């Protein structure tokens, strides 16, 4: 194993270890070592091969940052952490402190030092000219479910589910919380997920926080706050002993700034030699602090004294805070820190009541200082013809979308140094990730077909350069375009507007990508083959965004998602493809079974049932004439179901879902052209049957190959005992690049041959056919398409960028005037796959692949 190069190293970490089929049997143990010595670890299988052997193992360990080795073998059995469920509550003792978790209470967690709760503020609006906030209503989180989700010698995870409740009993924003405690660790990690369940027209999100309260004691001269800024710590005592009178010198102030406790009972006024402790009581007592990250580029710090009628004053400012605030007294203190703090701005960390008997630190996922999160659509009419939206009606619906944030709470026995707090903040912002070398991922065959970088010929070197240029451009574009915000961070835009020198952020279906044409798979394959930390970081952010925001988690749309739009939930097309498990399998397994992604896999497992009320082809067919209750295209609908069911099968060995895959395959075998037929079919989610209804492909036949279907099917072909299915994939690959005339002939006139557009999107499928049949001509065509679809005829620009000088907010704006994420994602993904599938047939230079008009 190795440490991801973009993250911190060491500490408590959970990671996934892949195994080739048959390598690790059920019940066999793994030994985890550092520097040749075994370290305490906690392991469990999280996926299985179809032969019953273990495919992925989750490993949790307390590490020192040196190299980790995982191997088969016996290991020292250590006692599990003390954890107990009783009458709706849970108690966990990690050896350093005991935590109690409660249902039916505003206090969700209690330790000897801390109490933890959560808040939401609903901003209810009325319409009177300009929209105005009518009133803000506070809601407090109460759990109705509390269970031990995972426990062992190294960590325990407690999951709580519930909703926020107001004083009148009304409810707003369901939540899922996960609290992770590591053995003998001072840290409590919180994974906070909320699900929107309000009325988008009236119920805005005015605030959302995690609140941590600690008893405070001792003199306010020995109470202090520390805030993490861009580069260092802002440190202030609540009473600052840098005074005019009495004249006590700098001794006490210097001690305060070193984090030491002071005792002024013996302080002498240098003017008259008299004791002056009582006079020092007049020093201002500061009580409350706010660090408000208003934008990704600016934060402000404010503070005030305790009386509520007093004003906050400006205290400091900066660019990008590390998102940590500490508060302490004579006996130690505590801190809260929130990950992706500036990337999800507006955000905040605040402190209140520090001069009282109980001080509270709050991590604000959305602060009340900011404008409420508006869940409404951007227009009252649809723009399906002009701007590529779905249907000619508005279908915007945020009910059921989610967002997840990671917050850490740390307890300190003394005053931590500034360096310690900056390191702790960095560990929250860039948490350690343990991964394998790319060769291991490839050799274990756990993520389908992908190539490793190879520059051994001029052609391969050129392709690798283009792949690097593409991903480097998008990584930089996130920052250059500030694709930030609670609901936006992680996503990218769809299509570029060369005239305005920006993306089409306001043009219907050309705005946010919402996983269209699987940029997720492109980025994850790019990471798996390279091991680059910057690619992992972007892929993780995209998966976390798309799995939550672009997918419905409750309601009649649960398990499907929203097509690309100006607003993430805005498009009228609600379809399965956005919710495909395959988008996020790499993240789930690499992170050792990421629990939130696991929730999403459970949500989408039966997403096909959501199409009973949200038929993806409902606008094209008369329901009264249908034999089956809904529709599914072989791709991207049924192919998405295959991904969802495959994931359920490998995670839980649930053969019911393997059988649903096989049922669909068997139905496709009966179609005149097997997988080529359709792609529109009727569908029954209760049985998994597809019903052939003729040769019609809503949206185009290319949709069957550009939404992750080929990647799923190629994996399944090696796992299902079905040679006919393999032959169906081969037939599809052999067919796609035929001329229109030859397509008509091959289908006996059943197909017009005109629907198979965008040849570069099918390069992976054609490459599969070339490898399986050893067809050098097909392999040649693959590279004709991929080379000339990027470079075009007689040009070599590829993913070269231009620089626009003195753009609105940028002296030198990097630009590709023609760029679209659809093309980039599919070209890169198919190139990565085809480099592996056709490696035995590739020529040395791109000049050896001639331009022909058909490749367009």
């Amino acid at each position: 194993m190795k440490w991801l190069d973009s993250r911190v190293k060491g500490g408590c970490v959970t990671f996934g270890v892949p195994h080739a089929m048959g390598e690790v049997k059920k019940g066999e143990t793994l030994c985890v070592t550092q520097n040749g010595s075994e370290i305490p670890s906690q392991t469990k299988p999280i996926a299985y091969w179809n032969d019953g052997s273990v495919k992925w193992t989750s490993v949790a360990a307390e590490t020192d940052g040196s190299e980790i080795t995982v191997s088969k073998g016996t290991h020292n059995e250590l006692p599990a952490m003390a954890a107990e469920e009783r009458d709706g509550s849970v108690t966990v003792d990690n050896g350093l402190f005991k935590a109690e978790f409660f249902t039916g209470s505003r206090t969700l967690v209690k330790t000897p030092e801390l109490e933890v709760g959560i808040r939401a503020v609903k901003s209810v609006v009325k319409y009177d000219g300009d929209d105005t906030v009518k009133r803000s209503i506070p809601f407090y989180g109460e759990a109705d479910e509390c269970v031990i989700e995972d426990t062992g010698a190294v960590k325990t995870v407690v999951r709580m589910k519930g909703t926020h409740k107001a004083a009148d009993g009304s409810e707003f924003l369901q939540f899922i919380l996960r609290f992770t405690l590591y053995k003998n660790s001072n840290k409590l990690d919180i994974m906070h997920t909320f699900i929107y369940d309000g009325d988008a027209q009236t119920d805005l999100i005015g605030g959302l926080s995690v609140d941590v309260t600690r008893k405070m004691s001792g003199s306010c001269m020995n109470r202090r706050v520390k805030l993490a800024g861009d580069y260092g710590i802002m440190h202030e005592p609540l009473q600052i002993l840098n005074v005019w009178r009495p004249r006590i010198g700098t001794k006490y102030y210097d001690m305060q700034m070193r984090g030491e406790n002071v005792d002024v009972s013996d302080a002498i006024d240098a003017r008259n030699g008299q004791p002056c402790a009582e006079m020092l009581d007049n020093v201002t007592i500061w009580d409350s602090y706010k660090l408000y990250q208003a934008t990704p580029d600016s934060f402000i710090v404010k503070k005030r004294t305790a009386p509520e009628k007093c004003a906050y004053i400006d205290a400091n400012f900066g660019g990008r805070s590390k998102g940590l605030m500490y508060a302490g007294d004579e006996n130690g203190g505590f801190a809260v820190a929130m990950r992706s703090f500036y990337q999800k701005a507006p955000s905040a960390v605040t402190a209140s009541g520090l001069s009282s008997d109980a001080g509270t630190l709050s991590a604000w996922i959305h602060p009340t200082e900011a404008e409420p999160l508006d869940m409404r659509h951007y227009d009252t009419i649809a723009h399906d013809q002009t701007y590529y939206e779905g249907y000619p009606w508005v279908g915007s619906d945020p009910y059921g979308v989610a967002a997840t944030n990671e917050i850490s709470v740390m307890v300190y026995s003394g005053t931590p140094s500034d360096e310690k707090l900056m390191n702790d903040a960095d560990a929250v912002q860039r948490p350690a990730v343990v991964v394998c070398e790319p060769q291991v991922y490839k050799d274990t065959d756990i993520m389908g077909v992908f190539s490793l970088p190879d520059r051994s010929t001029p052609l391969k070197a050129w392709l690798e350069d283009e792949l690097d240029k593409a991903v480097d451009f998008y990584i930089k574009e996130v920052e250059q375009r500030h694709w930030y915000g609670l609901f936006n961070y992680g996503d990218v835009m769809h299509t570029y507007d060369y005239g305005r020198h920006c993306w089409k952020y306001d043009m219907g279906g050309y705005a946010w990508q919402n996983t269209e044409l699987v940029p997720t798979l492109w980025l994850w394959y790019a990471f798996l083959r390279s091991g680059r930390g910057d690619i992992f970081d972007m892929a993780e952010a995209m998966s976390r965004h798309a799995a939550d925001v672009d997918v419905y988690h409750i309601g009649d749309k649960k398990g499907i998602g929203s097509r690309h739009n100006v607003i993430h939930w805005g498009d009228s097309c609600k379809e399965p493809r956005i919710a495909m498990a395959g988008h996020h399998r790499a993240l789930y397994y690499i992170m050792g079974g990421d629990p939130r992604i696991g929730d999403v896999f459970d949500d989408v497992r039966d997403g096909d049932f959501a199409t009973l009320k949200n038929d993806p082809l409902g606008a094209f067919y008369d329901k009264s004439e249908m034999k089956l209750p809904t529709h599914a295209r072989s791709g991207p609908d049924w192919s998405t179901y295959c991904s969802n069911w495959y994931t359920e099968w490998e995670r839980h060995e649930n053969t019911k879902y393997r059988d649903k895959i096989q049922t669909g395959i068997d139905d496709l075998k009966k179609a005149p052209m097997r997988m080529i037929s359709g792609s529109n079919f009727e569908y029954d989610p209760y049985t998994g049957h597809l019903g052939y209804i003729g040769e019609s492909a809503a949206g185009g036949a290319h949709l069957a190959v550009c939404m992750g279907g080929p990647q799923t099917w190629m994996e399944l072909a090696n796992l299902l005992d079905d040679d006919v299915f393999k032959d169906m994939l081969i037939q599809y690959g052999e067919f796609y690049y035929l001329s229109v005339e030859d397509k008509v002939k091959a289908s006996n006139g059943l197909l017009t041959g005109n629907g198979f557009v965008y040849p570069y999107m099918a390069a992976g499928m054609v490459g599969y056919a070339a490898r399986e049949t050893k067809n050098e001509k097909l392999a040649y065509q693959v590279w004709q398409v991929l080379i000339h679809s990027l470079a075009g005829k007689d040009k070599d620009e590829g993913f070269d960028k231009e620089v626009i000088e003195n753009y609105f907010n940028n002296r030198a704006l990097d630009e590709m005037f023609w760029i679209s994420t659809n093309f980039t994602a599919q070209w890169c993904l198919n190139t990565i796959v085809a480099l592996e599938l056709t490696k035995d047939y590739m020529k040395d230079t791109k000049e050896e692949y001639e331009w022909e008009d058909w490749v367009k």
Side-chain angles (χ1 to χ4, degrees):
M1 311 299 296
K2 69 172 187 175
W3 295 96
L4 193 67
D5 58 17
S6 59
R7 304 297 184 89
V8 303
K9 297 180 181 180
C12 304
V13 63
T14 302
F15 56 94
V17 181
H19 314 293
M21 186 184 293
E23 185 177 52
V24 176
K25 305 293 192 298
K26 288 179 184 177
E28 289 187 317
T29 58
L30 300 181
C31 183
V32 184
T33 61
Q34 282 193 309
N35 301 315
S37 300
E38 183 181 354
I39 60 173
S41 63
Q42 177 178 326
T43 65
K44 65 177 181 179
I46 53 173
Y48 302 90
W49 289 100
N50 54 316
D51 69 350
S53 61
V54 178
K55 190 173 188 178
W56 283 90
T57 296
S58 174
V59 176
E62 171 64 41
T63 67
D64 63 11
S66 58
E67 184 178 275
I68 297 172
T69 300
V70 182
S71 56
K72 282 202 302 183
T74 58
H75 67 100
N76 296 324
E77 290 288 346
L78 299 174
M81 289 167 55
E84 180 183 15
E85 293 181 14
R86 180 185 297 174
D87 300 328
S89 65
V90 168
T91 302
V92 180
D93 189 337
N94 78 342
L96 196 63
F97 62 86
K98 180 184 289 186
E100 297 177 90
F101 301 81
F102 304 99
T103 56
S105 169
R106 289 186 180 182
T107 299
L108 298 174
V109 188
K110 191 172 186 178
T111 76
E113 290 200 52
L114 307 175
E115 292 185 3
V116 181
I118 60 175
R119 264 185 296 172
V121 177
K122 181 197 288 186
S123 294
V124 182
V125 298
K126 66 177 181 179
Y127 306 104
D128 182 15
D130 291 336
D131 297 343
T132 57
V133 174
K134 182 179 180 182
R135 65 189 188 278
S136 295
I137 307 170
F139 290 72
Y140 296 90
E142 291 186 22
D144 51 36
E145 176 188 306
C146 181
V147 298
I148 298 171
E149 189 171 66
D150 188 17
T151 190
V154 175
K155 73 172 184 178
T156 294
V157 180
V158 177
R159 185 187 72 230
M160 307 182 83
K161 292 185 178 181
T163 190
H164 298 80
K165 296 183 179 181
D168 63 2
S170 59
E171 300 178 350
F172 183 54
L173 300 184
Q174 298 176 39
F175 66 80
I176 304 170
L177 299 176
R178 284 183 169 86
F179 297 87
T180 301
L181 299 86
Y182 285 90
K183 184 73 173 178
N184 295 322
S185 171
N186 73 325
K187 187 170 69 164
L188 178 66
D189 286 335
I190 306 171
M191 182 174 277
H192 176 293
T193 300
F194 73 90
I195 302 172
Y196 184 78
D197 54 8
D199 180 340
Q201 295 304 309
T202 59
D203 300 341
L204 281 59
I205 302 174
L208 200 63
S209 70
V210 173
D211 307 314
V212 186
T213 300
R214 176 184 179 274
K215 293 179 180 178
M216 304 292 286
S217 62
S219 168
C220 286
M221 298 175 187
N222 293 323
R223 302 185 192 187
R224 66 194 73 251
V225 292
K226 292 192 173 192
L227 301 83
D230 304 73
Y231 309 108
I233 295 293
M234 172 183 171
H235 173 199
E236 289 195 355
L238 298 194
Q239 282 187 291
I240 304 169
L241 296 180
N242 186 5
V243 297
W244 176 45
R245 292 177 177 171
R247 302 289 173 82
I248 57 173
T250 62
K251 168 188 171 182
Y252 299 106
Y253 178 58
D254 291 345
M255 290 176 65
Q256 285 184 313
M257 297 311 294
R258 291 196 297 268
E260 300 171 8
N261 292 331
V262 299
D263 180 357
V264 298
S265 62
D266 60 350
I268 300 298
D269 190 336
R271 297 174 302 167
N272 53 30
Q274 298 297 311
C276 54
E278 288 187 10
M279 190 174 181
L280 289 171
D281 288 341
N282 182 247
V283 173
T284 308
I285 300 174
W286 298 101
D287 176 83
S288 301
Y289 284 75
K290 296 179 180 180
L291 190 160
Y292 173 39
Q293 185 79 48
T295 75
D297 298 310
S298 67
F299 68 83
I300 188 168
V301 179
K302 291 175 175 285
K303 68 179 184 179
R304 77 168 193 189
T305 55
E308 291 187 2
K309 62 183 178 182
C310 292
Y312 276 93
I313 67 168
D314 292 345
N316 216 324
F317 70 96
R320 292 177 168 178
S321 167
K322 302 289 187 185
L324 178 145
M325 182 177 285
Y326 164 87
D329 58 22
E330 296 175 351
N331 301 308
F334 65 126
V336 297
M338 186 161 61
R339 190 180 177 203
S340 302
F341 191 70
Y342 78 80
Q343 294 93 333
K344 293 188 177 183
S347 53
V349 284
T350 65
S352 61
L354 298 186
S355 64
S356 69
D357 292 338
T360 298
L361 295 178
S362 297
W364 288 90
I365 294 164
H366 185 75
T368 52
E369 287 86 351
E371 286 293 316
L373 288 168
D374 197 334
M375 310 303 285
R376 295 170 298 168
H377 199 48
Y378 73 96
D379 204 349
T380 57
I381 61 174
H383 305 282
D384 56 310
Q385 295 300 309
T386 51
Y387 283 156
Y388 190 39
E389 288 188 323
Y391 295 118
W393 58 81
V394 174
S396 183
D397 186 5
Y399 185 90
V401 305
T404 297
N405 290 270
E406 297 169 65
I407 294 127
S408 291
V409 181
M410 287 76 71
V411 177
Y412 304 91
S413 57
T415 301
S417 68
D418 293 357
E419 182 182 11
K420 169 64 175 171
L421 288 176
M422 286 299 285
N423 288 339
D424 286 350
D426 200 28
V428 173
Q429 299 305 324
R430 302 188 302 118
V433 175
V434 177
V435 296
C436 295
E437 293 289 350
Q439 190 71 53
V440 175
Y441 292 128
K442 187 173 188 300
D443 290 347
T444 49
D445 199 26
I446 40 75
M447 280 291 157
V449 178
F450 63 90
S451 56
L452 298 181
D454 179 358
R455 298 176 179 272
S456 60
T457 69
L459 172 58
K460 290 180 178 178
W462 177 76
L463 292 168
E464 295 295 344
D465 287 345
E466 296 304 314
L467 290 171
D468 285 347
K469 285 192 288 185
V471 76
D472 289 345
F473 177 78
Y474 272 82
I475 289 170
K476 182 176 180 180
E477 197 73 345
V478 172
E479 168 67 7
Q480 180 170 255
R481 303 294 176 173
H482 271 45
W483 289 333
Y484 296 131
L486 178 62
F487 289 129
N488 295 337
Y489 178 55
D491 207 354
V492 298
M493 289 275 175
H494 187 287
T495 301
Y496 198 70
D497 184 336
Y498 70 91
R500 292 185 292 173
H501 301 294
C502 67
W503 294 77
K504 296 182 179 182
Y505 67 93
D506 55 353
M507 293 185 177
Y510 291 115
W512 291 113
Q513 189 73 13
N514 280 35
T515 76
E516 183 77 351
L517 273 61
V518 293
T520 45
L521 292 186
W522 159 41
L523 292 177
W524 282 119
Y525 275 21
F527 165 72
L528 290 170
R529 71 194 303 264
S530 70
R532 282 175 51 179
D534 55 350
I535 299 177
F536 180 96
D537 292 345
M538 185 175 182
E540 182 195 7
M542 183 176 288
S543 273
R544 295 204 182 280
H545 158 83
D548 272 333
V549 181
D550 299 341
V551 174
Y552 292 101
H553 306 277
I554 57 173
D556 64 8
K557 300 180 185 69
K558 179 181 177 179
I560 60 177
S562 288
R563 180 179 172 270
H564 42 103
N565 196 263
V566 171
I567 304 294
H568 288 287
W569 47 82
D571 201 82
S572 50
C573 289
K574 310 299 184 184
E575 299 192 10
R577 71 199 195 205
I578 303 99
M580 182 179 70
H583 292 300
H584 319 302
R585 281 174 69 235
L587 176 62
Y588 175 79
Y589 290 123
I590 290 170
M591 299 301 287
D594 183 272
R596 177 56 193 156
I597 299 300
D599 287 346
V600 176
F601 288 166
D602 292 341
D603 291 341
V604 307
R605 174 182 56 210
D606 294 314
D608 52 333
F609 284 88
T611 65
L612 292 171
K613 292 186 177 180
N614 303 276
D615 188 336
L617 302 179
F620 302 98
Y621 293 92
D622 184 345
K623 198 168 186 68
S624 65
E625 298 177 359
M626 293 166 54
K627 295 180 180 179
L628 300 181
T630 186
H631 289 91
R633 292 159 290 184
S634 55
D637 307 317
W638 180 76
S639 62
T640 291
Y641 303 153
C642 287
S643 178
N644 299 346
W645 299 336
Y646 169 36
T647 304
E648 172 67 14
W649 174 31
E650 70 178 352
R651 287 176 69 212
H652 301 301
E653 298 187 288
N654 191 337
T655 57
K656 167 188 171 182
Y657 291 90
R658 176 204 62 194
D659 294 345
K660 285 189 85 169
I661 296 172
Q662 191 63 56
T663 295
I665 291 173
D666 292 342
D667 288 335
L668 288 171
K669 292 175 183 176
K670 301 170 188 175
M673 292 295 290
R674 303 193 296 187
M675 290 195 78
I676 300 169
S677 280
S679 57
N680 297 357
F681 288 82
E682 289 184 358
Y683 176 69
D684 184 352
Y686 295 98
T687 64
H689 276 297
L690 293 164
Y692 178 69
I693 53 175
E695 300 300 329
S696 178
H702 66 286
L703 292 179
V705 296
C706 66
M707 303 285 185
Q711 288 68 46
T712 301
W713 294 331
M714 282 186 257
E715 271 200 78
L716 286 171
N718 292 330
L719 300 175
L720 299 173
D721 186 18
D722 191 335
D723 290 337
V724 177
F725 178 52
K726 289 184 179 180
D727 190 60
M728 291 160 65
L729 298 181
I730 293 168
Q731 179 189 20
Y732 196 104
E734 291 176 327
F735 185 84
Y736 208 101
Y737 287 175
L738 292 177
S739 66
V740 171
E741 295 77 11
D742 286 341
K743 285 187 176 79
V744 173
K745 183 178 179 180
S747 64
N748 293 318
L750 191 64
L751 300 174
T752 65
N754 290 311
F756 296 81
V757 293
Y758 305 116
Y760 68 92
M761 297 182 185
M765 285 287 276
V766 179
Y768 180 84
R771 183 186 70 177
E772 295 299 307
T773 61
K774 297 180 172 58
N775 188 323
E776 191 170 353
K777 179 183 177 182
L778 275 182
Y780 181 86
Q781 290 180 310
V782 165
W783 292 109
Q784 275 187 294
V785 165
L786 289 173
I787 290 169
H788 292 295
S789 60
L790 176 61
K793 184 179 181 181
D794 302 326
K795 72 184 186 73
D796 293 310
E797 290 86 359
F799 288 105
D800 291 343
K801 61 190 178 186
E802 301 177 28
V803 176
I804 305 299
E805 294 184 357
N806 297 320
Y807 172 69
F808 177 67
N809 58 7
N810 199 325
R811 287 189 179 277
L813 179 81
D814 288 344
E815 177 182 82
M816 297 184 193
F817 72 90
W818 56 270
I819 197 75
S820 82
T821 303
N822 275 6
F823 174 81
T824 305
Q826 278 294 297
W827 187 89
C828 291
L829 177 60
N830 278 277
T831 296
I832 289 169
V833 171
L835 278 166
E836 177 64 19
L837 291 171
T838 67
K839 60 186 177 184
D840 295 334
Y841 306 104
M842 291 182 67
K843 299 185 182 300
D844 288 347
T845 66
K846 64 179 185 290
E847 288 75 20
E848 295 175 80
Y849 291 92
E850 296 181 358
W851 164 271
E852 295 183 56
D853 286 342
W854 71 270
V855 304
K856 292 185 290 185

